[in-house]
Amino acid sequence: MISDSEKVFVRQSAVEGVRYDGRRLLDLRHLCVETGIYPTANGSSRVTRAYTGAQVLCAVKLQLNELKGATIGGIEVSIDTTTVADSNPSVGLGHGLNLSKQEQDRRSSFLVADLEKMIRCIIKDGDLVPKNALGCKQFAWKVFVDVVVLGSDGNLSDLISLAAYSALTDTKKPKVEILKSENRSLDSGSDFDFDVDPNPYNAEPLVEKLSEKLCIRMTMFELVEGIFVADAAEIEERCALSSFSLIIDKKGNVCGTQILGKKGALGRAHIHKIIVASREIAMELFKLLDRELK
């Protein structure tokens, strides 16, 4: 629970332009990004918010699947929030409500479903694994994205998006040689196999121009009517009246939106302000991430 006096303090700080932890309204907390932490994965990352204990692990595995009429190899997402939920059952639920165990479980399931949709949007399903990835129309890579949340201090979805972006940028696909019989073509559908090169040094990026196909999520939290903050800490998230999330790619294009908790319409001026601020922050984050990931 959060007391009324704490809410007043957090919200009044936002009105004065200096948040309770000393940050300005659009300042982000420091991040530590690591990649290649799982040697058995095709790509992996660990993203930590400094001084908060918030930590997300992400691993990407590739598997060759038969398409069977599908147009892409496909994507499967798994997100585990049980570690952090055990220590803080209300994580990601917002507003500091005194919820029953049943309501906590229900909202937690909604959180996981929302995060899975978010990662699918970030990956841009159809573009990431083209049907002819192997030069063969019947097989393609299937991408498995596994996320484990080890700690959170607010704004969990954005942290997961950064971990997914980092892991997918780190992902390399093994070199594959298509093997066929002398009497059947590759497109005949029955007589062919493939040989996967186990040497990781011969691997190549999952797709060309991968950085142009991936996005990150930026969420603004409304603490007071018309006043939004970026990268809300847990106490700020619990005080928030609403949240406005944008999925943004490296060109600054808005690929998706989500509004939670808002009663009534959001003014045009506020929408413009949120989009402009989110784009600026996202562009700076992309630069910092790519510099670290190199």
Side-chain angles (χ1 to χ4, degrees):
M1 290 292 292
I2 182 171
S3 68
D4 291 338
S5 60
E6 287 177 305
K7 290 181 180 179
V8 170
F9 173 71
V10 170
R11 290 170 177 167
Q12 186 59 37
S13 298
V15 170
E16 295 176 0
V18 180
R19 295 153 74 173
Y20 86 100
D21 56 4
R23 287 185 289 158
R24 292 173 296 180
L25 299 184
L26 301 182
D27 285 350
L28 307 185
R29 288 167 288 185
H30 294 291
L31 292 170
C32 176
V33 179
E34 304 168 83
T35 56
I37 61 172
Y38 293 121
T40 58
N42 296 98
S44 60
S45 71
R46 173 167 52 206
V47 180
T48 305
R49 282 200 180 103
Y51 315 116
T52 68
Q55 185 176 175
V56 173
L57 308 179
C58 183
V60 179
K61 291 287 288 184
L62 302 179
Q63 176 180 302
L64 283 177
N65 279 10
E66 188 173 0
L67 294 178
K68 297 181 179 179
T71 57
I72 58 171
I75 294 168
E76 187 167 315
V77 178
S78 171
I79 299 177
D80 182 2
T81 62
T82 54
T83 302
V84 65
D86 287 342
S87 60
N88 184 3
S90 64
V91 63
L93 305 180
H95 308 303
L97 300 176
N98 187 16
L99 303 175
S100 66
K101 181 63 166 63
Q102 182 179 4
E103 181 67 8
Q104 289 175 0
D105 291 342
R106 186 179 71 87
R107 293 199 177 194
S108 292
S109 66
F110 287 163
L111 170 65
V112 172
D114 174 61
L115 297 177
E116 290 178 348
K117 290 178 183 177
M118 180 198 71
I119 289 187
R120 290 182 187 277
C121 181
I122 291 171
I123 295 172
K124 289 187 177 178
D125 202 333
D127 289 335
L128 189 63
V129 188
K131 183 176 179 179
N132 61 352
L134 295 176
C136 170
K137 295 182 179 180
Q138 295 179 339
F139 277 69
W141 293 109
K142 184 168 185 178
V143 182
F144 294 85
V145 181
D146 296 312
V147 176
V148 178
V149 180
L150 297 182
S152 176
D153 185 25
N155 200 22
L156 177 59
S157 294
D158 287 14
L159 192 65
I160 289 177
S161 83
L162 297 177
Y165 175 86
S166 301
L168 287 162
T169 302
D170 181 57
T171 299
K172 304 293 189 298
K173 62 180 179 182
K175 186 176 180 181
V176 176
E177 181 183 359
I178 300 295
L179 307 175
K180 62 175 181 177
S181 69
E182 296 180 357
N183 299 324
R184 299 284 184 102
S185 68
L186 285 178
D187 293 335
S188 63
S190 56
D191 254 354
F192 76 92
D193 202 349
F194 50 82
D195 181 40
V196 179
D197 189 343
N199 188 347
Y201 295 102
N202 292 333
E204 55 187 11
L206 183 57
V207 294
E208 294 181 359
K209 300 181 180 179
L210 177 63
S211 61
E212 296 182 5
K213 296 178 179 291
L214 299 179
C215 311
I216 59 176
R217 177 175 175 136
M218 289 301 306
T219 302
M220 296 290 183
F221 292 84
E222 187 180 24
L223 295 183
V224 182
E225 186 70 30
I227 297 179
F228 292 83
V229 300
D231 189 20
E234 184 176 337
I235 189 173
E236 292 176 319
E237 190 172 339
R238 289 169 179 260
C239 295
L241 304 175
S242 64
S243 66
F244 192 103
S245 298
L246 300 175
I247 305 295
I248 302 174
D249 66 17
K250 293 188 73 172
K251 295 181 179 180
N253 298 318
V254 177
C255 305
T257 63
Q258 183 182 55
I259 302 176
L260 296 177
K262 185 65 179 177
K263 296 180 180 179
L266 189 64
R268 180 182 298 179
H270 289 154
I271 294 176
H272 177 73
K273 182 179 178 181
I274 291 170
I275 292 176
V276 170
S278 297
R279 277 176 171 165
E280 290 179 356
I281 296 172
M283 294 301 99
E284 188 62 29
L285 262 180
F286 277 124
K287 292 179 182 178
L288 294 174
L289 284 172
D290 291 344
R291 185 179 66 190
E292 292 298 320
L293 294 175
K294 287 181 180 179

